[in-house]
Amino acid sequence: MAKIRVLNPIVELDGDEMTRIIWAMIKERLILPFLDVDLKYFDLGVRKRDETDDRITAEAGHAIRHFGVGVKCATITPDAERVSEYRLKKEWPSPNGQIRSILDGTVFRKPIIVRTITPAVRSWKKPIIIGRHAYGDIYRGVELKVDRPGKVELVYTPTEGPERRVLVHDFSGPGVVMGMHNLEKSIRSFARACIAYALSERIDLWFSMKDTISKQYHAFFRTVFSEEAAARKADFDGAGVAYRYMLIDDAAAQMMKSAGNMLWAVSNYDGDVFSDVVAAGFGSLGMMTSVLVSPDGQFEFEAAHGTVRRHYYEHLKGRPTSTNSVASIFAWTGGIKKRGELDGTPEVVAFGERLEAAVIGCIEAGIVTKDLVPLMEPRPTGYQTTEGFIAAVEDRLTAA
Ligand code: NAP
Ligand code: MG
């Protein structure tokens, strides 16, 4: 069969450990035999990042800006333990964080839904997608320990005009304080990325803060979001989807009772917490994808999980593994379908859909990795190895 030609390049970001092994298998067996595609390859494995003093990460981020579509394998974010394990020069920063700031992007996590896997929350029938604002708040906070009585104030010194101060607290004993900030530009980009994603997927958009308590900080987020949504009202009406603002606690309760099928946009910390709640509720980390969307319409697709370190050590000992490759395969198909959509090549989009159907077909037929067995109804009697699952998908894809 002739290979399908992909018009424009896809940026490929390689990664670490077990996911690096899976990544190579997917590329060799499920992608390259079927597509004639120009992959702009960047090795973001931790050794290469170390060797290049991490320049490779910035280069990869800029390549995604340039070409518009990237697919990324999971990577190690080194801590002290990893520095000695891999003999690194230093604790290089998170590649995802760096690429996020290059693209000024928002991360959306989306579960892969399969008929034979019942979510822990029975009402959930369709994906719940979390849009997490990825700038500021406590993640860029400054903190102080107060160890004796004294006054703590916020002081704003504008480049022009009078100074302003507010009392944080007049301490009579020890305590703690924190100062945090956010930027209108970043909140607006976040709102636009969320609106673009909800409209392109034709799903409702929820946005939640706690503006009844935080009448300046949280209220500002709400105002910016409402302005951006109002500017796209005709598009919302045209797509038949709604924008709703809800208080975060109300939204959390509604989310637990809903059938899903919405994008829930939340602040940085809420997104940190609720993306893990939703991931756990839908079943396995191996079934959760993630896409970084920039306000200018660039996309980077990846699995939401890490490098599956424990399985990698088993693999290094020569033992068989049963690591779920579904989210990594969907990172590839997400990138391929988006490339086809942007290039106006429906045959490329159709290939992405065929590969996804082959994966779902395997799972529905009970051909799964070990992590999925306890989630399945009916429960399969055995499970596949890492390689066995990919081979089964390959068989289906070739037969299709
Ligand atoms: P992890 O890779 O997310 O895996 C944690 C555990 O979750 C695994 O041990 C496994 O449980 C289960 N799991 C995750 N993905 C699975 C899959 N595809 N198939 C089957 N089981 C799966 O987290 P980690 O092992 O703690 O972290 C390893 C490295 O990943 C860290 O260095 C971290 O920096 C990095 N990380 C990268 C990203 C990213 O690049 N996006 C995200 C998160 C973490 P069992 O052991 O019970 O089988
Ligand atoms: Mg988290």
Side-chain angles (χ1 to χ4, degrees):
M1 206 173 69
K3 289 192 195 182
I4 300 162
R5 189 156 163 263
V6 181
L7 283 188
N8 285 294
I10 294 177
V11 182
E12 179 196 357
L13 283 57
D14 208 347
D16 289 301
E17 299 193 317
M18 200 60 209
T19 39
R20 187 180 180 98
I21 289 163
I22 289 173
W23 195 256
M25 286 184 199
I26 297 170
K27 183 171 150 182
E28 293 310 321
R29 302 178 67 165
L30 305 179
I31 309 294
L32 294 182
F34 303 92
L35 292 185
D36 175 12
V37 55
D38 179 9
L39 296 171
K40 304 290 181 196
Y41 179 86
F42 294 85
D43 183 1
L44 261 54
V46 73
R47 290 200 171 88
K48 192 70 179 183
R49 280 181 275 146
D50 196 56
E51 197 184 300
T52 62
D53 290 331
D54 213 15
R55 275 187 303 273
I56 188 113
T57 305
E59 283 166 15
H62 288 290
I64 297 174
R65 265 199 96 86
H66 182 74
F67 293 108
V69 180
V71 292
K72 180 180 172 290
C73 176
T75 47
I76 289 171
T77 298
D79 53 13
E81 196 191 342
R82 299 300 209 154
V83 167
S84 61
E85 180 182 0
Y86 287 93
R87 298 176 199 285
L88 306 176
K89 292 173 198 157
K90 59 181 252 196
E91 289 179 31
W92 300 107
S94 151
N96 286 7
Q98 283 189 78
I99 294 167
R100 221 156 41 213
S101 49
I102 291 169
L103 294 177
D104 184 22
T106 299
V107 174
F108 301 99
R109 267 180 159 199
K110 181 179 180 182
I112 299 157
I113 306 276
V114 183
R115 217 167 16 87
T116 45
I117 298 177
T118 317
V121 178
R122 262 176 297 149
S123 64
W124 293 357
K125 304 284 181 230
K126 296 208 166 147
I128 294 171
I129 298 150
I130 305 280
R132 173 181 172 187
H133 185 214
Y135 178 84
D137 301 350
I138 65 166
Y139 304 87
R140 294 269 180 129
V142 290
E143 308 186 333
L144 266 182
K145 261 193 184 153
V146 170
D147 59 1
R148 67 199 74 180
K151 210 160 71 174
V152 177
E153 292 177 310
L154 275 180
V155 183
Y156 170 33
T157 318
T159 44
E160 276 168 53
E163 174 188 285
R164 284 162 63 189
R165 23 177 100 218
V166 287
L167 179 68
V168 175
H169 193 68
D170 197 350
F171 286 86
S172 56
V176 280
V177 289
M178 173 164 67
M180 57 186 211
H181 76 279
N182 224 299
L183 305 172
E184 177 173 346
K185 180 173 176 287
S186 169
I187 302 166
R188 227 170 260 290
S189 294
F190 171 58
R192 285 183 190 153
C194 290
I195 291 165
Y197 187 87
L199 291 174
S200 82
E201 299 269 313
R202 290 177 175 265
I203 52 176
D204 284 351
L205 172 60
W206 295 9
F207 179 55
S208 311
M209 297 294 293
K210 191 74 179 181
D211 64 313
T212 44
I213 299 299
S214 169
K215 293 181 192 300
Q216 304 272 336
Y217 199 108
H218 283 221
F220 185 63
F221 275 76
R222 178 181 180 172
T223 303
V224 169
F225 234 91
S226 306
E227 285 168 6
E228 292 298 330
R232 299 291 299 272
K233 186 171 183 317
D235 299 319
F236 275 105
D237 292 346
V241 298
Y243 168 70
R244 286 174 74 184
Y245 174 81
M246 278 174 279
L247 289 170
I248 185 69
D249 43 350
D250 180 25
Q254 300 242 8
M255 184 264 302
M256 295 301 288
K257 292 183 293 186
S258 86
N261 208 30
M262 74 293 208
L263 167 61
W264 186 20
V266 287
S267 67
N268 210 345
Y269 179 77
D270 293 333
D272 195 343
V273 176
F274 285 116
S275 56
D276 285 4
V277 169
V278 169
F282 273 107
S284 169
L285 263 179
M287 299 291 282
M288 187 64 81
T289 59
S290 171
V291 54
L292 175 69
V293 181
S294 83
D296 308 327
Q298 288 119 356
F299 298 82
E300 183 211 55
F301 296 83
E302 68 167 343
H305 58 76
T307 62
V308 211
R309 184 179 187 179
R310 191 184 68 76
H311 297 206
Y312 181 60
Y313 295 153
E314 290 297 300
H315 169 83
L316 289 182
K317 286 180 204 148
R319 299 197 186 128
T321 55
S322 181
T323 312
N324 191 334
S325 52
V326 172
S328 297
I329 298 173
F330 273 65
W332 278 99
T333 56
I336 289 164
K337 290 194 305 180
K338 184 54 76 178
R339 183 75 278 169
E341 194 187 308
L342 296 176
D343 292 350
T345 48
E347 65 282 9
V348 173
V349 177
F351 171 75
E353 285 167 355
R354 249 177 65 211
L355 177 47
E356 289 180 356
V359 171
I360 303 290
C362 281
I363 299 173
E364 288 182 350
I367 302 165
V368 295
T369 44
K370 195 176 177 181
D371 56 309
L372 294 188
V373 171
L375 308 174
M376 304 262 306
E377 198 70 58
R379 191 168 287 204
T381 45
Y383 59 83
Q384 302 294 314
T385 59
T386 306
E387 197 169 9
F389 180 78
I390 292 173
V393 173
E394 184 186 12
D395 287 346
R396 263 178 195 256
L397 187 60
T398 326

